[in-house]
């Protein structure tokens, strides 16, 4: 009966932590062959009550006292780790959760929590190991595939790191193509391939990202800039126009479009309009430059018209003298 009593109390923490909205719910951590002594269970229950009233520091003391009496009391150690996490003591939380994992089998969420803490502490490979352990226990946590790739991306420095990141994103998309994170994964892959010098693969991933999130102006802008670099001028113009239609004002897309009109298509009037639209965006960092470009083209066109008028006048005068 004692064994059942403390196990039921152990499950109770799930409800308490859920009410308090801690980062995750505590979980039952598996059967323990030897029940902890009654005094340890009493301290453990007192810790639950304190946690229930959000007295986390006091709750941690009760769990610590329970563990002093029963070091193998895995439920107390597990929940102490969660309390430490709530208190912001991440190193202590990692230590307790690692010990609880070695003390008894635990559900996927325990590995996930530990992985998140290790990620916060920039212990990347250890975090990924815990995420993979969570996935091996619960394959429905498909967001962890993307979490692994994002973690690698955030800390990628070398060429090898970036290749590993690419492989992780592609694996995530393969395993969970319908996940809400797929769009950002395609966008990240596009950037990674672009910086690796593979513009074709970068474009493919921007195309896929736009399919998943057709209303994202930034994606169409990035795609337009890339298409311009690939000399696919009309496609670039279309992509930039789409970006402008989706977001207004949109200085950076207007500026990129103006550059194409001026430098590639030699459509000066359209270039002026686009530069002026870019300059009208109060958040665009190159507004002054855009305004200067528009002014320069206007002055050029005015001088050109004056020169043409003078040439016409001279021709008429020559015809008259004959």
């Amino acid at each position: 009966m004692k064994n059942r009593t403390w196990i039921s109390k152990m499950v109770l923490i799930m409800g308490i932590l859920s009410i308090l909205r801690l980062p995750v719910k505590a979980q039952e951590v598996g059967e323990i062959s030897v029940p902890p002594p009654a005094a340890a269970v009493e301290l453990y229950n007192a810790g639950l009550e304190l946690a229930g009233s959000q007295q986390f520091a006091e709750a941690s003391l009760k769990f610590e006292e329970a563990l002093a009496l029963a070091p193998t009391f895995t439920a107390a150690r597990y929940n102490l780790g969660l309390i430490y996490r709530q208190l912001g003591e991440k190193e202590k939380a990692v230590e307790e959760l690692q010990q609880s994992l070695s003390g008894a089998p635990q559900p996927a969420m325990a590995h996930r929590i530990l992985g998140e803490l290790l990620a916060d502490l920039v212990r990347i490979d250890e975090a990924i190991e815990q995420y993979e352990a969570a996935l091996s226990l619960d394959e429905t946590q498909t967001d962890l595939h993307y979490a692994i790739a994002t973690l690698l991306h955030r800390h990628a420095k070398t060429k090898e790191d970036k290749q590993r990141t690419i492989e992780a994103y592609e694996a995530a998309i393969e395993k969970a193509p319908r996940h809400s994170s797929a769009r950002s994964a395609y966008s990240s892959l596009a950037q990674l391939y672009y910086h690796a010098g593979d513009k074709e693969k970068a474009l493919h991933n921007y195309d896929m990202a736009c399919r998943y999130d057709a209303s994202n102006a930034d994606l169409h802008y990035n795609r337009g800039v890339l298409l311009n670099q690939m000399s696919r001028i009309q496609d670039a113009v279309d992509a930039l126009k789409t970006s402008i239609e989706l977001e207004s004002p949109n200085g950076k897309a207007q500026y990129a479009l103006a550059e194409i009109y001026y430098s590639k298509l030699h459509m000066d009037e359209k270039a002026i309009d686009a530069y002026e639209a870019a300059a009208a965006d109060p958040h665009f960092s190159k507004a002054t430059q855009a305004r200067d470009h528009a002014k320069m083209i206007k002055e050029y066109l005015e001088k050109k018209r004056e020169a043409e008028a003078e040439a016409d006048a001279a021709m008429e005068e020559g015809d008259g003298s004959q």
Side-chain angles (χ1 to χ4, degrees):
M1 289 296 292
K2 287 183 179 179
N3 191 39
R4 290 184 180 178
T5 300
W6 74 260
I7 289 176
S8 65
K9 289 287 187 179
M10 183 171 66
V11 179
L12 178 61
I13 190 106
M14 293 177 64
I16 292 174
L17 295 184
S18 177
I19 292 168
L20 293 176
R21 298 182 182 178
L22 289 184
V24 291
K25 298 176 183 178
Q27 304 281 335
E28 185 171 348
V29 294
E31 297 289 339
I32 297 176
S33 57
V34 179
V41 174
E42 186 176 343
L43 288 164
Y44 174 80
N45 289 336
L48 297 185
E49 295 298 328
L50 289 164
S53 59
Q54 302 191 38
Q55 298 179 64
F56 300 120
E58 294 81 358
S60 69
L61 294 176
K62 294 299 181 183
F63 289 132
E64 288 168 356
E65 291 176 30
L67 286 166
L69 294 175
T72 60
F73 194 172
T74 308
R77 193 169 298 284
Y78 179 77
N79 287 297
L80 177 59
L82 294 183
I83 293 295
Y84 280 151
R85 187 192 196 201
Q86 184 69 10
L87 292 170
E89 299 186 52
K90 294 178 183 179
E91 294 282 2
K92 285 186 175 182
V94 165
E95 182 179 351
E96 296 301 328
L97 290 172
Q98 284 178 328
Q99 287 192 54
S100 71
L101 279 167
S102 64
Q106 294 194 35
M109 188 58 72
H111 292 277
R112 182 188 185 111
I113 296 166
L114 181 54
E116 291 170 353
L117 284 163
L118 289 164
D120 289 344
L121 295 170
V122 199
R123 292 163 62 175
I124 308 305
D125 289 333
E126 292 176 83
I128 291 172
E129 182 181 352
Q130 293 302 321
Y131 286 153
E132 289 175 342
L135 281 165
S136 70
L137 293 168
D138 181 6
E139 61 184 18
T140 67
Q141 296 190 40
T142 52
D143 63 306
L144 288 180
H145 293 297
Y146 291 94
I148 290 170
T150 302
L151 184 59
L152 287 169
H153 195 183
R154 190 178 303 135
H155 299 283
K157 295 180 181 179
T158 67
K159 183 178 179 180
E160 291 73 20
D161 291 341
K162 292 174 183 177
Q163 181 58 38
R164 186 183 176 193
T165 303
I166 286 173
E167 292 169 0
Y169 274 126
E170 290 182 337
I173 291 169
E174 181 182 354
K175 291 171 182 175
R178 297 180 181 276
H179 195 274
S180 59
S181 296
R183 196 281 301 170
S184 60
Y186 279 119
S187 180
S188 295
L189 275 171
Q191 294 171 30
L192 285 161
Y193 275 122
Y194 176 80
H195 290 297
D198 194 333
K199 292 182 179 179
E200 289 293 343
K201 285 188 177 179
L203 179 60
H204 167 74
N205 281 285
Y206 274 132
D207 288 345
M208 293 301 296
C210 286
R211 287 185 191 179
Y212 274 76
D213 192 2
S215 62
N216 189 305
D218 284 338
L219 287 176
H220 291 283
Y221 166 77
N222 289 336
R223 184 172 175 273
V225 170
L226 178 57
L227 285 163
N228 181 35
Q229 293 177 4
M230 297 171 72
S231 298
R232 291 175 54 177
I233 304 306
Q234 189 55 54
D235 290 336
V237 169
D238 292 342
L240 291 169
K241 284 183 175 179
T242 299
S243 180
I244 291 164
E245 289 171 2
L246 291 169
E247 181 180 308
S248 181
N250 191 339
K252 63 182 181 181
Q254 291 282 11
Y255 190 87
L257 186 59
E259 293 281 274
I260 292 174
Y261 282 144
Y262 180 66
S263 302
K264 302 286 180 68
L265 298 177
H266 309 294
M267 301 171 71
D268 293 337
E269 295 291 349
K270 286 192 173 184
I272 290 170
D273 291 342
Y275 277 130
E276 289 182 338
D281 183 351
H283 303 295
F284 182 49
S285 61
K286 294 183 178 179
T288 300
Q289 191 172 339
R291 194 173 296 109
D292 290 343
H293 282 330
K295 181 180 178 182
M296 177 193 71
I297 298 171
K298 283 181 177 179
E299 290 174 350
Y300 162 76
L301 291 177
E302 182 61 29
K303 289 179 180 179
K304 183 180 178 181
R305 282 191 288 268
E306 289 176 358
E308 289 172 347
E310 289 176 2
D312 291 341
M315 186 175 292
E316 289 178 3
E317 184 176 342
D319 290 343
S321 64
Q322 291 178 2

